[in-house]
């Protein structure tokens, strides 16, 4: 079976363990030749004779699948599935796997790091120092503030554990479509509807998938309900925040700042690049050596299981297919 690997980076960690596994199993593979997220047309050009796709965040559409009649498995490196047309995959009897747990720790740690960056102006001070400008910027402490967490799943729970472990006087507000009340009781969460959570949070952090229901969830109206001193952090999925509305809110000082790691269209070069109060990173929440290695190995493990005709270890659960239809 021919394997196309479009996820970038892939196999360039010390020891290249994931590629070694494929080679030892005698699996023929081809790496992403352009070293970035593919467009739909680029994927179509590369995918045609492949039986297995080890996928990144490129758009894996019904049209792309139709050009690859031999495709039987999509092994997504990561947790987000908004780029995969799951319904089309099922209709074509293409199995889909993912690696939902591997990136969670890295994303959670980076989320809290971005909160501290925003509150203490770390990135801004760095830029000023590199411009030979010395100015001691006043900030705020995280301990004692109110953090609103939308989405208390794998990453959201890790963020809360970090906050509770290091910042005991943080008030944590929470919202989830299926609240885990046992977890909430253990960590002292206050469950609120989204509107109240937006209004009461000093920092709003998002940890939800991108679906039809969550696209543009945070727009102009939601931002206006927030405190002018509040911050937004998004390390989940681009498209959940209306990026142009966020740029306008920051410029108008309806919000104090934002930190964004994910974008509706990547690579990103939109309005937020012109806004001083917005910390921007390039979809690197999972980019720690240990988490990235685990993501690659878990994806390859399911590829090899598929090749051997064994049960897949991390197939996409049924609720993901149901959500994608909504």
């Amino acid at each position: 079976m021919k394997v196309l690997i479009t996820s970038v980076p892939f196999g360039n960690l010390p020891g290249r363990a994931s590629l070694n596994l494929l080679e030892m199993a005698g699996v023929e593979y081809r790496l992403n030749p352009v070293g970035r997220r593919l467009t739909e047309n680029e994927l179509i050009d590369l995918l045609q004779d492949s039986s297995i796709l080890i996928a990144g965040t490129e758009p894996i559409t019904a049209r792309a699948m139709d050009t690859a009649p031999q495709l039987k498995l999509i092994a997504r490196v990561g947790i987000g599935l908004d780029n995969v047309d799951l319904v089309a995959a099922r209709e074509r009897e293409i199995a889909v796997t993912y690696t939902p747990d591997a990136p969670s720790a890295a994303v959670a740690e980076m989320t809290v790091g971005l909160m501290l960056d925003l509150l203490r102006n770390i990135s801004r001070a760095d830029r000023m120092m590199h411009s030979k400008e010395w100015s001691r910027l006043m900030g705020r402490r995280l301990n004692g503030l109110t953090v609103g967490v939308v989405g208390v799943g794998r990453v959201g729970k890790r963020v809360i554990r970090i906050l509770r472990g290091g910042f005991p006087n943080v008030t944590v507000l929470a919202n989830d479509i299926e609240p885990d009340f046992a977890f909430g009781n253990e960590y002292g969460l206050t469950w609120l509807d989204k509107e109240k959570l937006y209004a009461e949070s000093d920092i709003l952090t998002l940890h939800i998938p991108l679906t039809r229901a969550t696209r543009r969830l945070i727009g102009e109206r939601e931002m206006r309900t927030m405190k002018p001193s509040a911050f937004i952090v998004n390390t989940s999925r681009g498209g959940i925040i209306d990026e142009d509305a966020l740029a306008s809110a920051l410029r108008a000082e309806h919000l104090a700042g934002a930190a964004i790691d994910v974008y509706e269209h990547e690579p990103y070069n939109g309005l937020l690049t012109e806004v001083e109060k917005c910390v921007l990173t390039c979809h690197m929440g999972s980019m720690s050596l240990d988490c990235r290695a685990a993501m690659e190995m878990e994806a390859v493990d399911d590829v090899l299981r598929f090749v051997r005709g064994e049960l897949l270890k991390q197939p996409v659960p049924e609720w993901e297919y149901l959500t994608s239809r909504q």
Side-chain angles (χ1 to χ4, degrees):
M1 292 186 179
K2 293 184 178 180
V3 176
L4 174 65
I5 303 172
T6 53
S7 177
V8 286
F10 194 96
N12 62 354
L13 297 173
R16 59 194 303 275
S18 56
L19 294 181
N20 286 341
L21 276 181
L22 291 173
E23 291 167 5
M24 286 188 294
V27 174
E28 179 183 350
Y29 66 84
R30 178 170 43 161
L31 292 169
N32 184 325
V34 297
R36 57 162 171 77
R37 181 181 188 265
L38 298 176
T39 65
E40 181 187 21
N41 286 335
E42 288 171 333
L43 176 63
I44 286 171
D45 289 341
L46 293 168
L47 187 62
Q48 295 176 17
D49 62 345
S50 301
S51 303
I52 298 171
L53 172 63
I54 298 180
T57 59
E58 64 280 346
I60 307 171
T61 61
R63 175 171 168 252
M65 296 177 205
D66 284 339
T67 64
Q70 299 179 72
L71 185 64
K72 295 301 177 184
L73 173 67
I74 298 168
R76 170 79 172 89
V77 181
I79 185 172
L81 293 163
D82 50 281
N83 64 308
V84 182
D85 189 332
L86 293 176
V87 174
R90 172 159 287 179
E91 289 172 348
R92 290 156 181 77
E93 298 183 339
I94 301 170
V96 185
T97 64
Y98 68 157
T99 63
D101 294 313
S104 299
V107 176
E109 288 183 9
M110 182 165 168
T111 298
V112 177
L114 289 173
M115 293 179 189
L116 294 170
D117 189 330
L118 287 170
L119 290 166
R120 298 302 302 275
N121 297 296
I122 297 170
S123 294
R124 184 181 174 195
D126 174 73
R127 290 192 296 270
M128 293 168 66
M129 287 292 290
H130 281 282
S131 298
K132 313 298 184 185
E133 180 181 353
W134 178 279
S135 181
R136 299 170 68 200
L137 302 172
M138 189 65 69
R140 301 165 68 188
R141 291 185 61 212
L142 176 53
N143 211 29
L145 297 184
T146 297
V147 177
V149 181
V150 177
V152 187
R154 290 180 178 88
V155 178
K157 286 178 177 176
R158 286 182 177 269
V159 169
I160 291 166
R161 290 188 185 104
I162 295 171
L163 293 175
R164 280 284 175 257
F167 306 92
N169 294 322
V170 165
T171 298
V172 181
L173 310 178
N175 177 276
D176 196 280
I177 57 173
E178 294 184 1
D180 185 340
F181 292 114
F183 178 85
N185 291 336
E186 181 180 358
Y187 287 92
L189 308 186
T190 300
W191 298 96
L192 294 178
D193 62 41
K194 291 186 180 69
E195 288 68 27
K196 289 183 179 179
L197 184 146
Y198 300 152
E200 296 183 19
S201 296
D202 295 306
I203 302 173
L204 171 65
T205 182
L206 305 171
H207 302 288
I208 52 179
L210 178 63
T211 66
R212 291 183 178 89
T214 62
R215 185 173 294 278
R216 305 290 175 89
L217 179 71
I218 309 296
E220 180 181 1
R221 184 181 68 84
E222 289 75 21
M223 294 175 203
R224 285 187 174 274
T225 68
M226 298 177 65
K227 303 174 184 178
S229 59
F231 300 91
I232 294 177
V233 178
N234 186 18
T235 56
S236 56
R237 271 293 177 265
I240 292 171
I241 293 179
D242 184 329
E243 295 159 354
D244 291 350
L246 177 59
S248 297
L250 292 170
R251 285 171 171 159
E253 300 187 347
H254 295 315
L255 292 171
I260 307 298
D261 184 51
V262 288
Y263 309 89
E264 189 163 5
H265 302 289
E266 298 178 359
Y268 177 77
N269 61 359
L271 292 177
L272 292 173
T273 61
E274 303 169 7
V275 180
E276 175 68 25
K277 295 179 180 179
C278 195
V279 175
L280 302 175
T281 51
C282 44
H283 202 145
M284 51 190 270
S286 66
M287 296 293 286
S288 73
L289 289 173
D290 59 333
C291 289
R292 188 69 199 182
M295 291 163 66
E296 292 187 11
M297 293 296 281
E298 289 177 13
V300 168
D301 178 59
D302 262 334
V303 167
L304 296 182
R305 286 171 180 270
F306 184 83
V307 170
R308 295 191 296 259
E310 299 172 0
L311 289 176
L312 299 173
K313 188 173 182 179
Q314 298 193 101
V316 170
E318 186 62 28
W319 66 264
E320 289 277 11
Y321 289 89
L322 296 175
T323 301
S324 69
R325 293 179 182 272
Q326 295 175 1

